[in-house]
Amino acid sequence: ADSLTYINGTEPPTLIIQGTDDPVVAVSQARRFRNALEEADDRVHMYYVPGGLHSMGGDLFDRVITEFLDFYLKGQKTVTEPKVLDQHYRRYKL
């Protein structure tokens, strides 16, 4: 059930937020997904969180998601400068 199989160029705008140390979804897998969406001429935005793990949240994500939704749902362009916070970094080794 590879999600790449279903990309056909009719996908809605897609936002990918990828932690570089995510133990669940490899960065290369997220890149392949982004590349496939781009090749299908879909609108896709990808943000990397240095040292980020899986299932992150907080102000960084709220700002990125708000900017994405404002642009596509309201037609408003906002510019935010999200900051990577300590809690987004890996604090342990697998």
Side-chain angles (χ1 to χ4, degrees), residues 2-65:
D2 187 347
S3 58
L4 300 178
T5 304
Y6 302 99
I7 295 173
N8 62 16
T10 63
E11 289 69 37
T14 303
L15 173 63
I16 302 168
I17 302 175
Q18 177 67 38
T20 60
D21 288 345
D22 187 336
V24 178
V25 177
V27 172
S28 60
Q29 182 179 353
R31 271 194 212 113
R32 279 194 306 275
F33 184 57
R34 180 210 53 212
N35 292 345
L37 289 168
E38 286 178 344
E39 287 172 16
D41 289 327
D42 286 321
R43 293 166 291 181
V44 59
H45 302 261
M46 186 168 190
Y47 294 87
Y48 292 101
V49 178
L53 301 172
H54 199 74
S55 299
M56 300 170 285
D59 184 58
L60 170 72
F61 301 93
D62 293 347
R63 296 173 105 195
V64 169
I65 292 166

Side-chain angles (χ1 to χ4, degrees), residues 48-92:
Y48 292 101
V49 178
L53 301 172
H54 199 74
S55 299
M56 300 170 285
D59 184 58
L60 170 72
F61 301 93
D62 293 347
R63 296 173 105 195
V64 169
I65 292 166
T66 298
E67 182 173 300
F68 177 82
L69 293 174
D70 281 349
F71 183 78
Y72 285 106
L73 297 178
K74 298 179 181 177
Q76 298 174 350
K77 185 172 182 181
T78 58
V79 178
T80 63
E81 295 181 22
K83 296 178 183 173
V84 178
L85 304 175
D86 287 342
Q87 75 242 25
H88 300 131
Y89 284 97
R90 177 182 223 152
R91 293 176 185 250
Y92 58 90

